[in-house]
């Protein structure tokens, strides 16, 4: 676990150095993952970076108290400043933690209301909580129409998780539905990649429970996939989750993919990643 956290931390600093626009932090409750509380990590990484945006992908509000979550957002914002992105997800906890955390679980409507409560607390405060005076971006991450609809209703940006459902046509329809509801919103597509010149390693590393890797191949092939997603979906950004098991392969891939995407786009790539390589699957959204 210490090694995974060290790699994730090194990858975050590398992402800023290379030029990525955002760093997204997931929430998972399982052994062997470095990110059970993304807002806590957002504060840590915000204090160690100066340019890159730091976001949660996602804060699992279904199993979190909205008032305490708002306080956590405020704490993270202190260290991130106006670089904080708060990404909510409607998903649930999976695996062995599901039963232990069942007493926290909300239904669908209650989950949606909890998101609204967090925003209300941040905007207006409460008798015992000051309103947040630091600007932040609001995102909803999902893989289905309800999350996109809710993002449009609430005026959030929307990120579609293509590593849960690889149907690009369905993704595009969902994004278009969101755009119709909120034309000024920003859109992103999240894709899982494995970049390795060795096809055996790429294929082996791409076998992950709960995740459908969108491209497993060379860095050039992964960069081409990123650019193709931008073209097909019209998304403003692509969030990449690079899944190489080797820390050295992972760090190398992050640098190579960014550079190759930049070359293909003729300048700064519209790439929002990377997300944490070790923690990208397991929830339903």
């Amino acid at each position: 676990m210490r090694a995974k956290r060290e790699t994730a931390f090194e990858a975050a600093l590398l992402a800023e150095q290379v030029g990525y626009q955002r760093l997204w932090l997931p929430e998972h409750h399982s052994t062997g993952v470095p990110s059970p509380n993304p807002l806590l990590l957002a504060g840590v990484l915000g204090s160690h970076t100066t340019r890159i945006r730091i976001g949660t992908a996602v804060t699992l509000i279904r199993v979190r108290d909205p008032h305490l979550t708002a306080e956590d957002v405020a704490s993270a914002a202190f260290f991130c400043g106006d670089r904080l992105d708060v990404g909510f997800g409607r998903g649930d906890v999976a695996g062995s933690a599901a039963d232990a955390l069942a007493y926290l679980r909300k239904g669908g409507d209650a989950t949606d209301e909890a998101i609204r409560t967090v925003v209300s607390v941040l905007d207006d405060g409460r008798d015992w909580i000051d309103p947040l005076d630091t600007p932040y971006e609001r995102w909803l991450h999902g893989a289905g129409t309800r999350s996109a609809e809710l993002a449009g209703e609430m005026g959030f940006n929307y990120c579609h998780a293509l590593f849960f459902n690889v149907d690009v046509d369905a993704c595009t329809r969902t994004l278009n539905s969101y755009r119709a509801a909120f034309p000024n919103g920003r859109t992103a597509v999240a894709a899982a990649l494995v970049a390795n010149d060795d096809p055996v390693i790429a294929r082996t590393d791409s076998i992950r429970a709960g995740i459908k890797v969108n491209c497993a191949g060379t860095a050039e092939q992964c960069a081409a996939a990123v650019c193709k997603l931008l073209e097909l979906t019209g998304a403003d950004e692509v969030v990449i989750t690079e899944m190489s098991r080797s820390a050295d392969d992972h760090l190398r891939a992050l640098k190579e993919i960014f550079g190759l995407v930049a070359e293909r786009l003729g300048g700064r790539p519209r790439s929002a990643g990377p997300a944490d390589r070790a923690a990208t699957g397991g929830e339903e959204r």
Side-chain angles (χ1 to χ4, degrees), residues 9 33 36 40 50 79 129 167 176 179 199-200 207 230 235 238 251 261-262 275:
F9 185 71
V33 297
L40 173 64
T50 59
F79 295 99
I129 303 175
D167 187 336
N176 287 337
R179 293 178 183 119
V200 175
I207 301 173
L230 288 169
V238 171
L251 297 172
V261 171

Side-chain angles (χ1 to χ4, degrees), residues 1-2 5 30 35 42 62 150 156 172 186 206 211 221 223-224 259 265 277 279:
M1 174 55 69
R2 177 176 291 273
R5 287 198 168 118
S30 178
S35 184
R62 189 179 296 271
L150 185 63
F156 285 23
T172 303
R186 193 164 185 84
S206 71
I211 299 174
Q221 289 171 325
L265 296 180
R277 71 191 176 103

Side-chain angles (χ1 to χ4, degrees), residues 1-252:
M1 174 55 69
R2 177 176 291 273
K4 286 186 176 181
R5 287 198 168 118
E6 288 174 347
T7 299
F9 185 71
E10 186 176 355
L13 300 185
L14 175 66
E16 172 161 88
Q17 175 188 338
V18 169
Y20 281 97
Q21 179 180 348
R22 305 178 197 270
L23 176 72
W24 288 110
L25 304 168
E27 177 176 342
H28 287 276
H29 301 279
S30 178
T31 58
V33 297
S35 184
N37 187 337
L39 284 166
L40 173 64
L41 294 179
V44 173
L45 292 172
S47 69
H48 284 77
T49 56
T50 59
R51 183 197 57 77
I52 196 168
R53 299 193 64 84
I54 310 291
T56 62
V58 297
T59 297
L60 284 176
I61 198 63
R62 189 179 296 271
V63 293
R64 290 197 174 273
D65 177 84
H67 294 86
L68 297 181
T69 298
E71 289 186 320
D72 286 345
V73 170
S75 295
F78 175 80
F79 295 99
C80 295
D82 60 3
R83 295 181 291 124
L84 181 64
D85 299 332
V86 180
F88 296 98
R90 302 177 68 253
D92 204 346
V93 176
S96 57
D99 290 340
L101 300 179
Y103 73 101
L104 296 171
R105 185 173 295 120
K106 307 173 189 66
D109 291 343
T111 296
D112 297 350
E113 186 57 33
I115 295 174
R116 293 186 175 92
T117 298
V118 174
V119 173
S120 172
V121 173
L122 292 173
D123 288 349
D124 305 325
R126 294 294 186 267
D127 289 344
W128 49 287
I129 303 175
D130 289 328
L132 181 62
D133 58 3
T134 305
Y136 69 99
E137 288 190 17
R138 299 168 181 174
W139 287 79
L140 195 61
H141 297 249
T145 55
R146 178 54 192 154
S147 292
E149 290 171 353
L150 185 63
E153 291 170 12
M154 298 188 67
F156 285 23
N157 298 321
Y158 175 68
C159 178
H160 190 86
L162 200 61
F163 50 72
F164 286 146
N165 180 357
V166 298
D167 187 336
V168 177
D169 289 338
C171 169
T172 303
R173 288 193 298 271
T174 300
L175 291 176
N176 287 337
S177 175
Y178 164 77
R179 293 178 183 119
F182 186 47
N184 294 327
R186 193 164 185 84
T187 57
V189 175
L193 312 173
V194 177
N196 200 298
D197 289 338
D198 187 325
V200 175
I201 295 176
R203 184 168 57 253
T204 300
D205 287 0
S206 71
I207 301 173
R208 299 297 182 95
I211 299 174
K212 298 177 180 178
V213 171
N214 303 100
C215 180
T218 65
E220 180 66 41
Q221 289 171 325
C222 289
V226 169
C227 294
K228 193 64 175 178
L229 281 176
L230 288 169
E231 176 188 344
L232 292 175
T233 65
D236 297 300
E237 305 173 7
V238 171
V239 179
I240 67 168
T241 301
E242 207 291 320
M243 303 295 291
S244 293
R245 296 180 186 274
S246 160
D248 289 341
D249 286 344
H250 176 58
L251 297 172
R252 171 196 50 75

